[in-house]
Amino acid sequence: MWLTLFRAATLFLFAQVAVSVTTFTNPIKNPNGSDPFMVYDGGYYYLLTTTWTNVQITRATTVTGLKTATPKVVWTDSTSTRCCNVWAPEIHKIGSTWYLYYTAGQSADLGLQRSHVLQGGSTPWDSYSYKAQLKATNAPDAWSIDGTVLTVSGTNYFVFSSFNGALQSLYIAPMTNAYTLGARSLLSDPTNSWETVGSPVNEGPQALYKNGAIYLTYSASYCWTPSYSLGLLKYNGGTVTSASSWTKTGPVFTSANGNYGPGHNGFFTSADGTTTYLVYHATSNSAGACDGSRYTLIQPLYFHTDGVSPIWGVPRALSDNIPAPA
C-alpha cells in the first residue's frame, strides 16, 4: 500500500513539474502589448509591440521568459516627420541582414503616418540605423501603416494599409530591395459587413506559409470596437499583386473568453520547427480598445488533415495553460 501511495505521489509531482515546464499562461506582455510581432532566431524568441514613442525589442530563450525580460530600445527619432505615434514594428531577414519595418509620423496629426524601415545587422539584436521611407512609385506620399513583407517564389512584396477613398484598404507593392518599392496595387477593400463595424478597415496584414500554401491575415473593422477581428486572404496562384489571385474569407478569429477585439496578429515557429504559433493582441474591455491597454497573447495554430488549412479556434482564456513551443 505504502509503495502504491509513494508511486502515486511521485507521478503527481512529476505531472505538476511537467505542466510548469511545458505550458504557460497569457498575457505575455501587458500593458503595451498592441500589434505584436514575434520571430525565433539563434536560440531566442524576439517580441516587438507598439510602444507609441520608440521601437523596443524583447528577447528570451522561452516565451515565458519574455514576460520578465528587459526590453531593449533600438530606435528613437527626433525628426519631426517621423518622431511620434510609432506603431507596429516588425523585423524581417532579407538576404543576410535584418530590417525593421514600422509606422511613424507627427505628434499632432495621425493623417501623416508613413511606413519606414531601419537597417540592422546579422542578428535581430544588433544596432539599427534609419534607412528609408517606404514609397510606392505611383503614390509616393500616401498615408501608409502596418507594413509587412510577403515572399512568393523568391520575390518580396510590401503589404500595407492605406486609403482607397473613404475605405482603409490593403495594398501591395513589389520590393526591388529591402527599402525600395515599385508601384502599389489594391489588394483588398473592406466591403463585407464584418469589415465595416465602426469604420471600414483592413489593416495589420501578416503572411502565413504552410506546406506550399500562402495566406495573408489582416485585421478588419474599427479597433475601438469588440468586432475588430481577423480576416483571411488565400493566394490561389497567378499575379501576386492582383486582387483576383486571392480569395477572402472571414471573420476567422473573433472575440471570446473575455478577450475582445483580437487582431493585428503575427506568426512564428517553435524552436524545433514543428509548430506554428499565433501571436495577437486583445483587450479585456468589452467595448473594445485601441490603446496601450491591449495585451499580447500566444497560442498554437493547428491545421486540418490536408496540412494547409488553418484551424483558427478562438482566443484562449487567460487562465488556460497553453502548450509552450518545444
Coordinates of all heavy atoms in Angstrom, one line a residue, residues 150-153 206-217 232-237 245-246 267 276 301 303-304 306-310 312:
L150 N 5.9 40.1 -47.6 CA 5.3 38.8 -48.1 C 6.3 38.3 -49.2 O 6.8 39.1 -50.0 CB 4.0 39.1 -48.8 CG 3.4 37.9 -49.7 CD1 3.0 36.8 -48.8 CD2 2.3 38.5 -50.5
T151 N 6.6 37.0 -49.1 CA 7.6 36.4 -50.1 C 6.9 35.3 -50.9 O 6.3 34.4 -50.3 CB 8.8 35.8 -49.4 OG1 9.4 36.9 -48.6 CG2 9.8 35.3 -50.4
V152 N 6.9 35.5 -52.2 CA 6.3 34.5 -53.1 C 7.3 34.1 -54.2 O 7.7 35.0 -54.9 CB 5.0 35.0 -53.7 CG1 4.3 33.9 -54.6 CG2 4.0 35.4 -52.6
S153 N 7.6 32.9 -54.3 CA 8.6 32.4 -55.3 C 9.9 33.2 -55.3 O 10.4 33.6 -56.4 CB 7.9 32.4 -56.7 OG 6.8 31.6 -56.7
Q206 N -0.5 40.1 -42.4 CA 0.6 39.3 -41.9 C 0.6 38.0 -42.8 O -0.4 37.4 -43.0 CB 0.4 38.9 -40.5 CG 1.6 38.4 -39.8 CD 2.8 39.4 -39.7 OE1 3.9 39.0 -39.6 NE2 2.5 40.7 -39.7
A207 N 1.8 37.6 -43.2 CA 1.9 36.4 -44.1 C 2.0 35.1 -43.2 O 2.6 35.0 -42.2 CB 3.2 36.5 -44.9
L208 N 1.4 34.1 -43.8 CA 1.4 32.7 -43.2 C 1.7 31.7 -44.3 O 1.0 31.7 -45.4 CB 0.1 32.4 -42.6 CG -0.1 30.9 -42.1 CD1 0.9 30.6 -41.0 CD2 -1.6 30.7 -41.6
Y209 N 2.7 30.9 -44.1 CA 3.1 29.9 -45.1 C 3.0 28.5 -44.5 O 3.5 28.3 -43.4 CB 4.6 30.1 -45.5 CG 5.0 31.6 -45.9 CD1 5.5 32.4 -44.9 CD2 4.8 32.1 -47.2 CE1 5.8 33.7 -45.2 CE2 5.1 33.4 -47.5 CZ 5.6 34.2 -46.5 OH 6.0 35.5 -46.8
K210 N 2.4 27.6 -45.2 CA 2.3 26.2 -44.7 C 2.2 25.2 -45.8 O 1.3 25.2 -46.6 CB 1.0 26.1 -43.9 CG 0.8 24.8 -43.2 CD 1.9 24.6 -42.1 CE 1.6 23.3 -41.3 NZ 2.6 23.0 -40.3
N211 N 3.3 24.4 -45.9 CA 3.4 23.4 -46.9 C 3.0 23.8 -48.3 O 2.2 23.1 -49.0 CB 2.5 22.2 -46.5 CG 3.0 21.5 -45.2 OD1 4.1 21.5 -44.9 ND2 2.0 21.0 -44.4
G212 N 3.5 25.0 -48.7 CA 3.2 25.5 -50.1 C 2.1 26.4 -50.2 O 1.9 27.2 -51.1
A213 N 1.2 26.4 -49.2 CA 0.0 27.3 -49.2 C 0.5 28.7 -48.6 O 1.4 28.8 -47.7 CB -1.1 26.8 -48.3
I214 N -0.1 29.8 -49.2 CA 0.3 31.1 -48.8 C -1.0 31.9 -48.4 O -1.9 31.9 -49.2 CB 1.1 31.8 -49.9 CG1 2.4 31.1 -50.2 CG2 1.4 33.3 -49.5 CD1 3.1 31.6 -51.4
Y215 N -0.9 32.5 -47.3 CA -2.1 33.3 -46.8 C -1.6 34.7 -46.3 O -0.4 34.9 -46.0 CB -2.7 32.6 -45.6 CG -3.2 31.2 -45.8 CD1 -2.4 30.1 -45.5 CD2 -4.5 30.9 -46.2 CE1 -2.8 28.8 -45.6 CE2 -4.9 29.6 -46.4 CZ -4.1 28.6 -46.1 OH -4.5 27.3 -46.2
L216 N -2.5 35.6 -46.3 CA -2.4 36.9 -45.6 C -3.5 37.0 -44.6 O -4.7 37.0 -45.0 CB -2.4 38.0 -46.5 CG -1.1 38.3 -47.3 CD1 -1.4 39.3 -48.4 CD2 0.0 38.8 -46.4
T217 N -3.3 37.1 -43.3 CA -4.3 37.5 -42.4 C -4.3 39.0 -42.3 O -3.3 39.7 -42.7 CB -4.0 37.0 -41.0 OG1 -2.7 37.4 -40.6 CG2 -4.2 35.5 -40.9
L232 N -9.0 36.7 -43.7 CA -8.0 35.9 -44.3 C -8.1 36.0 -45.9 O -9.1 35.9 -46.5 CB -8.2 34.4 -43.9 CG -7.2 33.4 -44.4 CD1 -5.8 33.6 -43.7 CD2 -7.7 32.0 -44.2
L233 N -6.9 36.2 -46.5 CA -6.7 36.1 -47.9 C -5.9 34.9 -48.2 O -4.8 34.7 -47.6 CB -6.1 37.4 -48.4 CG -6.8 38.7 -48.3 CD1 -5.9 39.8 -48.7 CD2 -8.1 38.7 -49.1
K234 N -6.3 34.1 -49.2 CA -5.6 32.9 -49.6 C -5.1 33.1 -51.0 O -5.9 33.4 -51.9 CB -6.4 31.6 -49.5 CG -5.6 30.3 -49.9 CD -6.5 29.1 -49.7 CE -5.7 27.8 -49.9 NZ -5.0 27.7 -51.3
Y235 N -3.8 32.9 -51.3 CA -3.2 33.1 -52.6 C -3.5 31.8 -53.4 O -3.3 30.7 -53.0 CB -1.7 33.3 -52.5 CG -1.0 33.4 -53.8 CD1 -1.4 34.3 -54.7 CD2 0.0 32.5 -54.1 CE1 -0.7 34.5 -56.0 CE2 0.7 32.6 -55.3 CZ 0.3 33.6 -56.2 OH 1.0 33.7 -57.5
N236 N -4.1 32.0 -54.6 CA -4.5 30.9 -55.5 C -3.6 30.7 -56.7 O -3.9 29.9 -57.6 CB -5.9 31.2 -56.0 CG -6.9 31.2 -54.8 OD1 -6.9 30.4 -53.9 ND2 -7.8 32.3 -54.8
G237 N -2.5 31.4 -56.7 CA -1.6 31.4 -57.9 C -1.9 32.6 -58.8 O -2.9 33.3 -58.6
S245 N -6.2 37.2 -57.6 CA -5.4 36.0 -57.3 C -5.6 35.5 -55.9 O -5.0 34.5 -55.5 CB -3.9 36.3 -57.6 OG -3.7 36.5 -58.9
W246 N -6.4 36.2 -55.1 CA -6.6 35.9 -53.7 C -8.1 35.7 -53.4 O -8.9 36.4 -54.0 CB -6.1 37.1 -52.9 CG -4.6 37.4 -53.0 CD1 -4.0 38.1 -54.1 CD2 -3.6 37.0 -52.2 NE1 -2.7 38.1 -53.9 CE2 -2.3 37.5 -52.7 CE3 -3.5 36.3 -51.0 CZ2 -1.1 37.2 -52.1 CZ3 -2.3 36.1 -50.4 CH2 -1.1 36.6 -50.9
F267 N 2.8 35.5 -36.8 CA 3.0 34.1 -36.7 C 4.5 33.8 -36.4 O 5.4 34.6 -36.9 CB 2.7 33.4 -38.0 CG 1.2 33.6 -38.4 CD1 0.9 34.5 -39.4 CD2 0.2 32.8 -37.9 CE1 -0.4 34.7 -39.8 CE2 -1.1 33.0 -38.3 CZ -1.4 33.9 -39.2
T276 N 3.4 25.9 -35.5 CA 3.2 27.3 -35.8 C 2.4 27.9 -34.7 O 1.4 27.3 -34.1 CB 2.3 27.5 -37.1 OG1 3.1 27.0 -38.2 CG2 2.1 29.0 -37.4
L301 N -1.3 27.4 -33.4 CA -2.2 27.3 -34.5 C -2.1 26.0 -35.2 O -1.0 25.6 -35.7 CB -1.8 28.4 -35.6 CG -2.7 28.5 -36.8 CD1 -4.2 28.8 -36.5 CD2 -2.2 29.5 -37.8
F303 N -3.7 22.8 -37.9 CA -4.1 22.7 -39.2 C -4.9 21.4 -39.5 O -4.7 20.4 -38.8 CB -2.9 22.7 -40.2 CG -2.2 24.0 -40.2 CD1 -1.2 24.3 -39.2 CD2 -2.4 25.0 -41.2 CE1 -0.6 25.6 -39.2 CE2 -1.8 26.2 -41.2 CZ -0.8 26.5 -40.2
H304 N -5.8 21.5 -40.4 CA -6.6 20.3 -40.8 C -5.7 19.2 -41.4 O -4.5 19.4 -41.7 CB -7.7 20.7 -41.8 CG -8.8 21.6 -41.2 ND1 -9.8 21.0 -40.4 CD2 -9.0 22.9 -41.2 CE1 -10.6 22.0 -40.0 NE2 -10.2 23.1 -40.4
D306 N -5.5 18.2 -44.2 CA -4.9 18.4 -45.5 C -3.5 19.1 -45.4 O -2.7 19.2 -46.3 CB -5.8 19.3 -46.4 CG -6.0 20.7 -45.8 OD1 -5.4 21.1 -44.7 OD2 -6.8 21.5 -46.4
G307 N -3.1 19.5 -44.1 CA -1.8 20.0 -43.9 C -1.6 21.5 -44.2 O -0.6 22.0 -44.0
V308 N -2.7 22.1 -44.7 CA -2.5 23.5 -45.2 C -3.6 24.5 -44.7 O -3.4 25.7 -44.7 CB -2.4 23.6 -46.7 CG1 -1.2 22.9 -47.2 CG2 -3.7 23.1 -47.4
S309 N -4.8 23.9 -44.3 CA -5.9 24.8 -43.9 C -5.9 25.0 -42.4 O -6.0 24.1 -41.6 CB -7.2 24.1 -44.3 OG -7.3 23.9 -45.7
P310 N -5.8 26.3 -42.0 CA -5.7 26.6 -40.5 C -7.0 26.3 -39.8 O -8.1 26.4 -40.3 CB -5.4 28.1 -40.5 CG -4.9 28.4 -41.9 CD -5.6 27.5 -42.8
W312 N -8.5 27.9 -36.8 CA -8.2 29.1 -36.0 C -8.6 29.0 -34.6 O -8.0 29.6 -33.7 CB -9.0 30.3 -36.7 CG -8.4 30.5 -38.1 CD1 -8.9 30.1 -39.3 CD2 -7.1 31.2 -38.3 NE1 -8.0 30.5 -40.3 CE2 -7.0 31.2 -39.7 CE3 -6.2 31.8 -37.5 CZ2 -5.8 31.8 -40.3 CZ3 -5.1 32.4 -38.1 CH2 -4.9 32.3 -39.5

